[in-house]
Amino acid sequence: MELWAHRGSGKGELENTLKGFEIALNSGFKAVEFDVMLTADGVPMIHHDWVMGRCARSVDPAMAATDPLTRFDSLRARDLRHYSVQGEPIPSLAQTIQFCLKHGMRANVELKATNPRNAIALGKAVLKEIHTLPIEQQEHVRKHWVFSSFYHASLLPLKGYDLALLYEQLPDNWVLHADALRASAIHLHWSGAEPTALRRIHTTGRVVRVYTVNDAEQAKTLQALGVKGLFTDRMTL
């Protein structure tokens, strides 16, 4: 079964940083999951929260007072130098792609649109970064990486890549969306990964991956139910 390092080294601490991805690599992971969002000036950066302050905190006292109210998408890429995650900078998508390619890691790129208006812009920005790669690396990404999102519109520019629809609970109309995007996989929260939902997905020939699973017994149960991959915060394999 596939094991994906959730946000690199797990939720919190060094999540979504190059140092976090290095921890996952050194822990034996061959696949990593991370979140990509757009800055105000349209640069795809690796970050999870819509609002600053929980993980990426200001290192500039002048900006610190505004952290609880500062949305990620209100900041320009150059503004992010004033923030760090436990001393680590917020990486760009370009830097993260290069890290994964250099170390031969598979990646699940979760596109986190901050609103419906920028969903397609995010997908286009991710695609633009892929198109800057040499052809052989573009093909590697096409064959081995996965692109997922709760905002399904953000996946539209990435049709032809390996796409996964994200849900907490499987809705009745999921197959319409999966067919429209030609998505090969469904990613479910562990609370929604019950046998009936898994059977519905498997009967269409699609892959199921489950997030975020940190319990060994739960992992065994999901594997027995045919789940192909798990996203985990645990760095001990």
Side-chain angles (χ1 to χ4, degrees), residues 162-197:
D162 192 357
L163 304 183
L165 305 188
L166 265 165
Y167 296 107
E168 289 191 9
Q169 306 288 324
L170 192 68
D172 291 337
N173 63 351
W174 71 273
V175 74
L176 298 177
H177 298 284
D179 285 348
L181 282 164
R182 299 195 294 274
S184 65
I186 302 296
H187 293 179
L188 284 175
H189 187 261
W190 62 264
S191 64
E194 44 85 25
T196 300

Side-chain angles (χ1 to χ4, degrees), residues 51-73:
V51 178
M52 307 302 286
R54 176 189 65 87
C55 188
R57 298 184 180 181
S58 175
V59 295
D60 182 347
M63 299 182 74
T66 66
D67 274 356
L69 302 176
T70 303
R71 288 182 59 94
F72 183 89
D73 61 5

Side-chain angles (χ1 to χ4, degrees), residues 22-225:
E22 184 179 340
I23 290 170
L25 178 67
N26 293 336
S27 298
F29 281 86
K30 300 183 186 302
V32 67
E33 181 268 355
F34 54 83
D35 306 285
V36 61
M37 302 174 71
L38 281 183
T39 59
D41 49 346
V43 179
M45 302 291 290
I46 308 306
H47 190 69
H48 178 271
D49 293 5
W50 291 352
V51 178
M52 307 302 286
R54 176 189 65 87
C55 188
R57 298 184 180 181
S58 175
V59 295
D60 182 347
M63 299 182 74
T66 66
D67 274 356
L69 302 176
T70 303
R71 288 182 59 94
F72 183 89
D73 61 5
S74 72
L75 298 168
R76 298 162 298 180
R78 67 185 185 187
D79 296 330
L80 295 179
R81 71 185 186 275
H82 297 294
Y83 293 84
S84 75
V85 182
Q86 298 291 321
E88 293 295 316
I90 298 172
S92 66
L93 176 61
Q95 290 173 309
T96 306
I97 288 173
Q98 288 304 316
F99 178 92
C100 292
L101 291 173
K102 177 181 177 180
H103 296 287
M105 299 190 83
R106 292 184 69 199
N108 182 113
V109 184
E110 181 180 338
L111 283 71
K112 291 189 71 70
T114 52
N115 59 68
R117 296 186 301 279
N118 82 344
I120 291 181
L122 174 58
K124 288 180 176 179
V126 170
L127 185 63
K128 182 178 178 180
E129 288 294 346
I130 296 169
H131 284 171
T132 66
L133 300 171
I135 293 298
E136 63 274 14
Q137 290 185 343
Q138 290 186 42
E139 286 306 305
H140 176 84
V141 169
R142 186 184 298 275
K143 291 179 181 177
H144 300 291
W145 287 28
V146 180
F147 299 86
S148 63
S149 188
F150 286 103
Y151 278 97
H152 301 162
S154 65
L155 299 176
L156 284 168
L158 292 158
K159 270 189 175 182
Y161 287 81
D162 192 357
L163 304 183
L165 305 188
L166 265 165
Y167 296 107
E168 289 191 9
Q169 306 288 324
L170 192 68
D172 291 337
N173 63 351
W174 71 273
V175 74
L176 298 177
H177 298 284
D179 285 348
L181 282 164
R182 299 195 294 274
S184 65
I186 302 296
H187 293 179
L188 284 175
H189 187 261
W190 62 264
S191 64
E194 44 85 25
T196 300
L198 297 180
R199 282 195 299 271
R200 291 173 63 196
I201 299 167
H202 286 146
T203 55
T204 69
R206 290 183 170 89
V207 165
V208 182
R209 300 184 185 95
V210 177
Y211 69 96
T212 303
V213 179
N214 299 321
D215 179 78
E217 289 304 313
Q218 185 182 33
K220 290 178 183 177
T221 298
L222 291 168
Q223 184 174 19
L225 290 170

